[in-house]
């Protein structure tokens, strides 16, 4: 199958591309680096022509309304104009509708854009990737202290497994309209204490003292109250945070994206 992957040079999109290749498909990465700009629509017609499916994994933390939302809308409109019934599989975030954080709002808007367009679409929500959970815990550590938002817990997920599930959806049967797939989450939920201890052990540092920041803003309240934890009916899979951490360099790089 010819499968266009928006954000196909990104962390998740790159894994989707490699997984599709390994399965014998013909993935086509689509992002600014390949001449496709979702914020303007440049290059979309050409890349979507003849696509059997699209995985929408392009995203911008700084311009999510242009890339995640308008990008999803442009993909859907272009497919309709080309009279292509290609199935769009779009990645979203568990609990994005429960936390008033602008990037999360954009994920909800992106889901709605596909729903409103009436194309065959599957929206897959996932919890935080292991690298993001680690990044936030590392960023919250200052010397012997680690700052945590209230009672926040995370149930991070293996990005490679998420990529595999996106590929399963993209190569599987298309729905007749827009549907929400079962949410994806990793096997274990962790407190801030547990994440901080695991990172400290990995890096060979002393375990920090946890300082709880009261969730005084609605966004923080949402995180503290478990809005980003999966429902009991979520699909659980992939490596645990401990297994992922064991595969990472020491010390863990202070960045968003994981090398493997
Ligand atoms: N990180 C997490 O914990 C997590 C959890 C659940 C869901 N997600 C979702 O997973 C998705 C992918 O995340 P990621 O971490 O893989 O992101 P990423 O590494 O930042 O990749 C995003 C890609 O989007 C492309 N892009 C940005 N602006 C664009 C534009 N105007 N037109 C076309 N492409 C553009 C970029 O490629 P170019 O620079 O070449 O344009 C970039 O490689 C996002 O939708 C995110 O919400 C992430």
């Amino acid at each position: 199958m010819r499968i266009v992957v928006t954000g196909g040079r990104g962390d998740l999109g790159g894994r989707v591309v490699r997984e599709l290749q390994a399965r014998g498909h013909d993935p086509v990465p689509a992002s600014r680096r390949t001449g496709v700009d979702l914020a303007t629509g440049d290059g979309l017609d050409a890349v979507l022509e003849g696509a059997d499916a699209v995985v929408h994994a392009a995203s911008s933390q700084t311009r999510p309304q242009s890339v995640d939302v308008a990008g999803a809308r442009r993909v859907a409109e272009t497919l309709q104009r080309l009279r292509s019934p290609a199935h769009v599989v779009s990645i979203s975030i568990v609990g994005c509708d429960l936390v008033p954080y602008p990037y999360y709002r954009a994920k909800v808007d992106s889901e709605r854009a596909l729903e409103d367009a009436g194309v065959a679409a599957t929206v897959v929500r996932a919890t935080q990737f292991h690298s993001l959970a680690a990044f936030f815990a590392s960023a919250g550590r200052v010397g012997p202290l680690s700052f945590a938002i209230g009672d926040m817990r995370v149930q991070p997920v293996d990005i490679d497994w998420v990529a595999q599930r996106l590929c399963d959806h993209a190569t599987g049967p298309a729905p007749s309209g827009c549907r929400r797939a079962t949410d994806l989450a990793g096997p274990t939920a962790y407190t801030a204490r547990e994440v901080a201890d695991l990172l400290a052990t990995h890096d060979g540092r002393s375990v920090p003292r946890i300082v709880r920041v009261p969730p005084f803003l609605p966004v923080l309240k949402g995180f503290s109250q478990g809005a980003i934890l999966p429902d009991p009916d979520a699909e659980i899979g992939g490596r645990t945070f401990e297994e992922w951490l064991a595969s990472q360099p020491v010390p863990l790089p202070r960045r968003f994206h994981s090398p493997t």
Side-chain angles (χ1 to χ4, degrees):
M1 289 173 74
R2 182 174 188 277
I3 302 176
V4 173
V5 183
T6 74
R9 296 274 190 254
D11 200 12
L12 178 63
R15 291 160 202 265
V16 170
V17 167
R18 290 191 289 279
E19 177 68 19
L20 287 170
Q21 264 160 354
R23 295 185 189 190
H25 294 287
D26 175 22
V28 182
S31 73
R32 290 166 302 180
R33 268 169 279 182
T34 69
V36 177
D37 190 340
L38 289 178
T40 61
D42 287 351
L44 255 191
D45 281 34
V47 81
L48 290 179
E49 181 83 60
D52 297 303
V54 180
V55 176
H56 181 39
S59 182
S60 168
Q61 289 276 340
T62 51
R63 294 193 306 155
Q65 286 294 339
S66 304
V67 178
D68 301 61
V69 185
R73 195 176 300 121
R74 285 199 175 93
V75 165
E77 287 170 356
T78 306
L79 290 174
Q80 282 164 330
R81 203 172 47 249
L82 294 172
R83 300 189 188 284
S84 165
H87 174 198
V88 182
V89 177
S90 187
I91 180 73
S92 190
I93 302 174
V94 167
C96 60
D97 50 337
L98 302 176
V99 183
Y101 174 50
Y103 181 68
Y104 280 21
R105 283 210 177 107
K107 300 310 289 185
V108 176
D109 293 346
S110 174
E111 295 178 357
R112 201 159 293 146
L114 291 174
E115 208 176 309
D116 292 347
V119 290
T122 300
V123 171
V124 184
R125 289 185 180 181
T127 57
Q128 290 61 49
F129 303 151
H130 293 318
S131 56
L132 185 61
F135 172 82
F136 279 121
S138 302
R141 177 154 187 178
V142 182
L145 306 178
S146 186
F147 293 88
I149 301 169
D151 297 319
M152 181 173 168
R153 289 188 303 146
V154 288
Q155 192 163 333
V157 67
D158 182 351
I159 189 172
D160 289 304
W161 179 65
V162 173
Q164 288 163 18
R165 295 297 290 124
L166 293 179
C167 295
D168 295 340
H169 286 297
T171 57
S176 54
C178 183
R179 65 154 184 211
R180 264 271 305 279
T182 308
D183 294 351
L184 304 179
T188 315
Y190 303 86
T191 61
R193 161 93 278 153
E194 289 166 334
V195 176
D197 286 2
L198 286 167
L199 289 183
T201 305
H202 177 81
D203 285 355
R205 299 176 74 187
S206 59
V207 296
R209 188 160 71 80
I210 299 290
V211 179
R212 295 198 186 284
V213 178
F216 52 89
L217 296 172
V219 173
L220 303 184
K221 206 170 277 173
F223 287 135
S224 176
Q225 291 174 346
I228 58 168
L229 291 174
D231 286 338
D233 58 356
E235 188 181 346
I236 304 296
R239 291 174 293 178
T240 63
F241 186 64
E242 288 91 330
E243 287 166 341
W244 171 81
L245 206 48
S247 72
Q248 299 301 303
V250 178
L252 195 68
R254 280 197 167 214
R255 60 183 167 156
F256 247 102
H257 294 164
S258 54
T260 57

